[in-house]
Each structure stands twice: as structure tokens, then as C-alpha cells.
Amino acid sequence: MSIIAEFSVKSDDLALNHTLTAAPEMVIEIEQVVATMEDRIMPYFWVSGGNHAEFEAAFQDDESVTNVTGIDEVEGAKLYRGEWTENVETIIYAYVELGATLIQAIGKAQDWELRMRFDSQDSLSEFQEYCEKNGISYELKSIKEQEQPMASAQYDLTPKQRETLVTALEAGYYEAPRAVTMRELADQMGIAQQTLSNRFRAAHNNLITSTLTISHPDEDENEE
């Protein structure tokens, strides 16, 4: 059974520390990390929250990244592509070597918040041993077994929550104007309107928390 773990890592133990220190108001969110045929690690990352010119200037003196290129810009946020330098021992290399999956990574001046999926508890233990061996300090915030084989498990949705959201979408509940009321949707699903309301609340909370923040909702939000 796979494991989803959340870590807090000091920025100086991960790539782009110099850049984040030079532009502390900026926030980096890694969108994708690609291992190329040449064994290079190529991250795609969004940057937002401050002066992009200042941020880009800091790239020039950052020894952890090279060949940084602007790809896109949307509402004040910019998407970049770069390459991690080979001489940087980082968590990025560790998770690539162990075959783990980086679900989310958000970097600020002080630290990075990471959510990663490991194939097993043994893989997670290997990762922790790698960090300790290479002097990478981290704080393990949570460990959670991924019991659901479906993709929605990545977003902390229970089967009932996923069913509720998909059914509502297909019934036109999210259209403007709505094609179905909450009462009609509850009747269609054979549940009480209050139960449907509770599922919406929990599902929206879990979905927003897992995609827009790094922390998990409380366990009682997963009951419905």
C-alpha cells in the first residue's frame, strides 16, 4: 500500500535557496519535475507574490539551478523551466532515485512544504535514511496510507465524496443557472438533503485543502 507523507524542509537544504532569500516575498510552486534522457532533473515551477525582475536576477547567482527559461505568465504568476545542477544533493534527487512521486512542493524564504507519495513504508524509510545520511534536515508532519486506488485519493476525497461531486457535476448542479437543486440532487442520490450538504462541505474542504494548501483537513472531515 502506498504512503503519502508531508515534510517541511529548510530552504537551504533544497534548491533555489539563494533565489528565495534574495526575493523573500516570492512563492515558488513546483508544477512538474522531469528526469531527462541525459539524467538531468528539469523542474517546471510557478512563481508569484512579488517582483519578478528581482527574482529572475537572483537566478544568475543561484548555484542550484541553471538554464532557467520563462514559459508562461498568468495573472501575475510566471511559469519557468530550469535544470537542477548536478552537484546539488537535494531531496529532488532522492525522490527520483527512489521512484517516489512529488505531489506538491511550495517554497518560501524560510522553508519548503512537500507532499510526496511512496510505494511503500520501506521506500519512505529509505528516503528518510538518505536525508539523514546527506545532512538534510526535515520535519515529518504527517504520514497517511493511500487506501483508495483511484486518482481522487491524491486529493483526500473518500469514495462517497467523489461520487457526490461527480454526480453533481453531471447533473448540472455547478452550472449557471443550476440545472438541478440540492433537494433534487439529494433525491436522485437517495440521501437526505442534510447528508448531501455535509458531503459537499467535507468534499470541498478536502479538495481545496489538498490542492491549494499543504496541510490535511481534520480526520472528522473524511467521515461522509
Side-chain angles (χ1 to χ4, degrees), residues 100-126:
T101 301
L102 183 66
I103 299 175
Q104 187 177 30
I106 298 176
K108 298 180 181 179
Q110 298 300 320
D111 54 34
W112 282 80
E113 300 290 341
L114 309 176
R115 180 184 291 133
M116 301 169 66
R117 180 167 58 244
F118 298 87
D119 290 341
S120 64
Q121 181 64 51
D122 288 341
S123 295
L124 173 59
S125 296
E126 287 182 44

Side-chain angles (χ1 to χ4, degrees), residues 32-43 95-96:
Q32 184 181 17
V33 177
V34 178
T36 70
M37 294 294 290
E38 296 80 15
D39 293 328
R40 291 177 297 181
I41 307 301
M42 183 179 295
Y95 95 81
V96 169

Side-chain angles (χ1 to χ4, degrees), residues 176-190:
R178 286 176 174 168
V180 62
T181 66
M182 183 176 289
R183 180 178 295 278
E184 291 170 338
L185 184 61
D187 290 342
Q188 177 181 328
M189 297 182 66

Side-chain angles (χ1 to χ4, degrees), residues 154-210:
Q154 175 177 330
Y155 305 110
D156 293 324
L157 295 176
T158 67
K160 288 183 179 180
Q161 291 169 6
R162 180 182 184 278
E163 176 192 12
T164 298
L165 295 181
V166 172
T167 300
L169 178 66
E170 293 176 345
Y173 180 78
Y174 294 110
E175 296 177 3
R178 286 176 174 168
V180 62
T181 66
M182 183 176 289
R183 180 178 295 278
E184 291 170 338
L185 184 61
D187 290 342
Q188 177 181 328
M189 297 182 66
I191 59 177
Q193 184 174 343
Q194 184 59 49
T195 299
L196 178 60
S197 177
N198 290 340
R199 286 189 190 175
F200 270 137
R201 177 185 58 80
H204 291 158
N205 180 78
N206 291 3
L207 186 60
I208 292 170
T209 301
S210 66

